[in-house]
């Protein structure tokens, strides 16, 4: 699979199949806490436009704030940062552990570990238009697993 000029990912990461339907991002080498893992570029899209995208593409869009989402630039150019799976106990994200344009390692990550982030958006007062794109049952196994995720 080929990646892309508008996003960055650490050379210590690769995409792997996690089952017959899904892929995830994995560490090919040990990663130190604080290392930059991905920088996701794309197109900033208002909420009403996100809902016009094909469903399979919509899942790659993530919420920024103020009713705007980041979508990959095209269906052929989807950076590794968009492929990270959700965990309620993530090992990557911004400093708060949320999905972010720049994702860093929140702790030391072992070779072979899956890279995960928290899909649940941090909503603030400007986010009255927020409507979840994804709704799924989380199986991250964390003690603090939220169960049903809306992201
Ligand atoms: Zn969970």
């Amino acid at each position: 699979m080929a990646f892309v000029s508008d996003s960055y990912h650490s050379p210590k990461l690769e995409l792997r199949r996690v089952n017959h339907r899904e892929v995830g991002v994995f560490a090919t080498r040990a990663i130190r806490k604080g290392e930059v893992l991905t920088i996701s570029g794309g197109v900033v899209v208002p909420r009403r436009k996100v809902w016009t995208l094909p469903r399979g593409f919509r899942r790659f869009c993530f919420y920024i704030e103020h009713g705007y989402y980041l979508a990959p630039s095209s269906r052929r150019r989807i950076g590794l940062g968009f492929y990270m799976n959700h965990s309620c106990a993530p090992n990557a994200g911004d400093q708060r552990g949320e999905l972010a344009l720049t994702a860093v390692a929140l702790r030391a990550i072992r070779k072979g570990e899956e890279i995960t982030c928290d899909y649940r958006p941090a909503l603030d007062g400007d986010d009255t238009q927020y409507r979840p794109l994804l709704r799924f049952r989380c199986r991250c196994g964390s003690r603090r697993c939220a169960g049903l995720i809306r992201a």
Side-chain angles (χ1 to χ4, degrees), residues 119-121 130 132-136 147-151:
Y119 282 12
R120 292 168 293 174
Y130 181 72
L133 294 177
L134 295 173
R135 195 182 302 255
F136 61 94
L148 187 67
I149 304 298
R150 298 163 212 268

Side-chain angles (χ1 to χ4, degrees), residues 86-89 118 120 136-149:
H86 167 87
S87 170
C88 303
D118 193 336
R120 292 168 293 174
F136 61 94
R137 181 66 55 184
C138 183
R139 301 180 200 289
C140 72
S142 157
R143 269 188 213 173
R144 286 175 297 165
C145 182
L148 187 67
I149 304 298

Side-chain angles (χ1 to χ4, degrees), residues 7 12 36 42 46 67 92 104 112 121 123 134 138:
S7 295
K12 299 179 181 179
V36 173
V104 302
L123 302 179
L134 295 173
C138 183

Side-chain angles (χ1 to χ4, degrees), residues 55-151:
R55 180 189 279 256
F57 188 63
R58 219 185 286 158
R59 62 180 286 273
F60 290 109
C61 301
F62 58 81
Y63 194 68
I64 307 170
E65 58 188 332
H66 200 56
Y68 285 84
Y69 294 76
L70 184 73
S73 305
S74 86
R75 271 185 268 183
R76 292 185 174 189
R77 306 193 336 167
I78 298 177
L80 230 55
F82 292 97
Y83 283 96
M84 285 184 197
N85 288 318
H86 167 87
S87 170
C88 303
N91 57 18
D94 68 9
Q95 298 305 330
R96 296 167 300 179
E98 293 150 6
L99 189 64
L101 306 186
T102 299
V104 302
L106 299 175
R107 58 168 173 75
I109 296 171
R110 296 183 309 275
K111 177 181 174 179
E113 244 188 284
E114 183 172 3
I115 310 298
T116 56
C117 55
D118 193 336
Y119 282 12
R120 292 168 293 174
L123 302 179
D124 64 31
D126 288 328
D127 292 328
T128 53
Q129 302 232 312
Y130 181 72
R131 181 172 148 204
L133 294 177
L134 295 173
R135 195 182 302 255
F136 61 94
R137 181 66 55 184
C138 183
R139 301 180 200 289
C140 72
S142 157
R143 269 188 213 173
R144 286 175 297 165
C145 182
L148 187 67
I149 304 298
R150 298 163 212 268

